[in-house]
Amino acid sequence: MVNTILLVVIAAAIVAFVVFFIKGQMNGGAERETSFLSGLFGDHRESQGETTEIVIETEAETLADGINKSKDGSLYFLKNGERLTNTWIDHEGKLYRADSNGFLITTESSEGAYNYIYTPSGEVKSIRYNPSYSAGDSRTENDRLEAGLTSAQTMGELSLIMYKRKTDNYSHKLGGDKAPQYTSGGSLQIAGDYIYWLPWVRDPDEMEATVNGRLFRMKPGEEKRQVLSENVLGFKVLETENGTVIYYYDNFMHRAEEQAFKDDEFVMTFTEDMEYVVSLGTDGKLYLMTKNGYPVTMETEAFKANGFYYALNAKGEITFVREEKYTVIDGCRYSIASQNVFGTMRSCVVRKGLDGKEYIISGDFEGTGGNMYVNPYDGFIYAEHTTQSGACEILKISPDGDIDILSGSTTQADSLRLVGFADSKVFAKKISGGTSEIIVYDSMLSSALTIAVEPKPYGEQETTAAGPGMGPGDATGPGSPSYGPGSEMITGPGQAQPQTQPQTQSFTQPETQSYGPGSPMQVQIPDEPVTVSP
């Protein structure tokens, strides 16, 4: 009997040991330090319903406002105890970006057309425009405004900026018709009541170079823009009360607030009393520019600049030039009078003074002339001239009556039309056989044609038939042509006007002349490609 009991106890002990061993392996050996008897007879704590808690010690997170670091090293930003997500953060004079998960970006990223480089601590190191950016929609907005670009009107690679107030039903040009503004895709930002933009082109042409890399802003509805800086590579404007702008150039980040923007005197609006020049673009077309190099980007059929009346397209390209048969200096009107003398056309310069009387002030010359303009840069009058043989030239006339021929301007052509001036440059358009060519002359290079004479009342000379014409300085000598009664008066090439018996001759063209597409006073500049002479 005793032996039987002993065998049962031994068997029970073996079973208990096996169960204890298996349980120890399953629990990672956590109970290995438990005594054999506890495993054999059970733990009284377990019988009372208590459990053992396994604690994994971790480094506690810092919960103060500002930049914090997680156990895995990720950075995040707390404000009022809340983690910021998907926003820009201006903290202690540095710029940060929190992603949609609330972590600070520490590697290169992009937003719109701008690439951002960050430090390992999350600070923005540089902002650069990506010229390879695909413009796409290029729209931006806040709670008051929407802004975008339209390719319907461009300036080189730059597109016109359009805006719409949230209360409007229609879009408008930023700057209006007088001062339209252009920029590159993805560069628009809105903060407060302003639209900000940065035109940026890798290889700008002459027009684009006038605005390239300049950081601008403008209030919708106004015609005056403001500028912050030049040579800007990229920027970010924060929607704050002071409109903080963070921008990058010269390898440094810079900060500016609202008062840092100044009115841009580079160009405001286009008025007739501003200084303008004509510029030959890399595309071989002529553009009207302000003196400081900004294209007159307004579509108009009649814009007066330096005595010329131009028709312009939205890019500032000159499409028409109105002919002017006379010009005015200090209230005196200058014109070229021509007549047929025994089959030869002879001409002279006539000045109408403040007293209303007309005087011959130059020696006569062969051929006809007209289309006269004053060059504001040297004070000389320039005019078109056609010789008796049909060659075309550009004349340079002093207010006293001396006449020169611009060097290299003599050419066989259907016409040689003056188009504009830029400092010492004189631009003319040669049309021959249906083709056109823009030619640039140096106003400083010329040769004498005839000299000034003592002013002689125009139309009071006696009629003679002794010779082919008068020589320089000999307005009344033998053989001089008659500009008086019975002479055949010409006011322009090929435009003969038979004269009757009045004792004095005067110009009858009106002081003001109409202008519009198709007007006989216009010359159209064709759209066909042009070449530039060396």
Side-chain angles (χ1 to χ4, degrees), residues 349-419:
V349 176
V350 175
R351 180 176 64 202
K352 183 177 181 180
L354 297 176
D355 58 2
K357 296 182 180 180
E358 295 179 311
Y359 298 86
I360 295 173
I361 62 171
S362 77
D364 75 327
F365 54 94
E366 181 188 285
T368 59
N371 203 22
M372 307 176 72
Y373 301 94
V374 177
N375 186 340
Y377 306 103
D378 61 15
F380 283 85
I381 301 167
Y382 290 81
E384 299 166 10
H385 175 225
T386 302
T387 68
Q388 184 69 19
S389 64
C392 296
E393 299 172 331
I394 300 297
L395 301 183
K396 178 181 179 181
I397 306 169
S398 75
D400 294 329
D402 289 321
I403 305 176
D404 286 2
I405 301 173
L406 286 188
S407 299
S409 67
T410 305
T411 181
Q412 292 293 329
D414 297 335
S415 66
L416 188 61
R417 181 52 47 92
L418 277 168
V419 180

Side-chain angles (χ1 to χ4, degrees), residues 323-345:
E323 182 181 357
E324 296 290 341
K325 292 187 178 181
Y326 60 84
T327 191
V328 177
I329 300 178
D330 297 331
C332 296
R333 190 180 73 179
Y334 293 79
S335 59
I336 294 177
S338 302
Q339 68 173 359
N340 190 318
V341 180
F342 301 117
T344 301
M345 299 304 300

Side-chain angles (χ1 to χ4, degrees), residues 142-426:
N142 65 1
D143 59 348
R144 295 179 292 280
L145 293 169
E146 298 178 22
L149 303 181
T150 175
S151 59
Q153 186 170 324
T154 60
M155 184 176 76
E157 294 185 21
L158 307 178
S159 299
L160 180 68
I161 303 174
M162 303 291 291
Y163 75 91
K164 185 173 79 69
R165 295 184 178 89
K166 291 296 180 71
T167 56
D168 287 349
N169 293 322
Y170 303 99
S171 296
H172 311 276
K173 295 179 183 179
L174 185 64
D177 290 329
K178 290 185 177 180
Q181 303 299 316
Y182 300 82
T183 193
S184 43
S187 76
L188 291 173
Q189 294 182 33
I190 296 177
D193 296 325
Y194 286 93
I195 296 175
Y196 296 76
W197 71 96
L198 173 64
W200 211 100
V201 179
R202 188 190 300 276
D203 297 309
D205 60 21
E206 291 183 44
M207 293 188 301
E208 296 163 338
T210 63
V211 295
N212 199 46
R214 305 180 79 219
L215 181 54
F216 298 105
R217 77 174 188 177
M218 179 183 277
K219 281 187 177 180
E222 294 189 353
E223 295 177 347
K224 182 184 295 186
R225 69 187 180 197
Q226 294 181 311
V227 62
L228 174 62
S229 181
E230 298 184 5
N231 304 316
V232 177
L233 299 178
F235 79 104
K236 177 65 185 178
V237 57
L238 304 179
E239 184 104 23
T240 60
E241 292 183 359
N242 59 9
T244 301
V245 176
I246 299 174
Y247 59 105
Y248 181 82
Y249 79 93
D250 196 26
N251 296 318
F252 290 98
M253 295 290 293
H254 301 266
R255 302 172 63 85
E257 296 181 358
E258 183 170 350
Q259 61 271 19
F261 283 84
K262 305 298 181 183
D263 288 345
D264 183 20
E265 301 300 333
F266 188 73
V267 64
M268 292 181 291
T269 58
F270 303 115
T271 59
E272 292 183 355
D273 58 354
M274 293 177 64
E275 289 190 72
Y276 295 96
V277 297
V278 171
S279 177
L280 185 63
T282 55
D283 56 2
K285 297 180 180 180
L286 288 174
Y287 294 87
L288 184 63
M289 315 282 285
T290 61
K291 177 64 174 176
N292 43 19
Y294 191 84
V296 183
T297 49
M298 58 184 297
E299 190 168 358
T300 177
E301 294 182 352
F303 188 85
K304 186 177 182 180
N306 300 338
F308 291 83
Y309 279 91
Y310 294 111
L312 307 170
N313 65 18
K315 298 180 181 180
E317 179 190 348
I318 298 171
T319 56
F320 293 92
V321 183
R322 189 178 83 177
E323 182 181 357
E324 296 290 341
K325 292 187 178 181
Y326 60 84
T327 191
V328 177
I329 300 178
D330 297 331
C332 296
R333 190 180 73 179
Y334 293 79
S335 59
I336 294 177
S338 302
Q339 68 173 359
N340 190 318
V341 180
F342 301 117
T344 301
M345 299 304 300
R346 307 293 297 185
S347 301
C348 67
V349 176
V350 175
R351 180 176 64 202
K352 183 177 181 180
L354 297 176
D355 58 2
K357 296 182 180 180
E358 295 179 311
Y359 298 86
I360 295 173
I361 62 171
S362 77
D364 75 327
F365 54 94
E366 181 188 285
T368 59
N371 203 22
M372 307 176 72
Y373 301 94
V374 177
N375 186 340
Y377 306 103
D378 61 15
F380 283 85
I381 301 167
Y382 290 81
E384 299 166 10
H385 175 225
T386 302
T387 68
Q388 184 69 19
S389 64
C392 296
E393 299 172 331
I394 300 297
L395 301 183
K396 178 181 179 181
I397 306 169
S398 75
D400 294 329
D402 289 321
I403 305 176
D404 286 2
I405 301 173
L406 286 188
S407 299
S409 67
T410 305
T411 181
Q412 292 293 329
D414 297 335
S415 66
L416 188 61
R417 181 52 47 92
L418 277 168
V419 180
F421 309 107
D423 296 322
S424 63
K425 296 178 181 178
V426 178

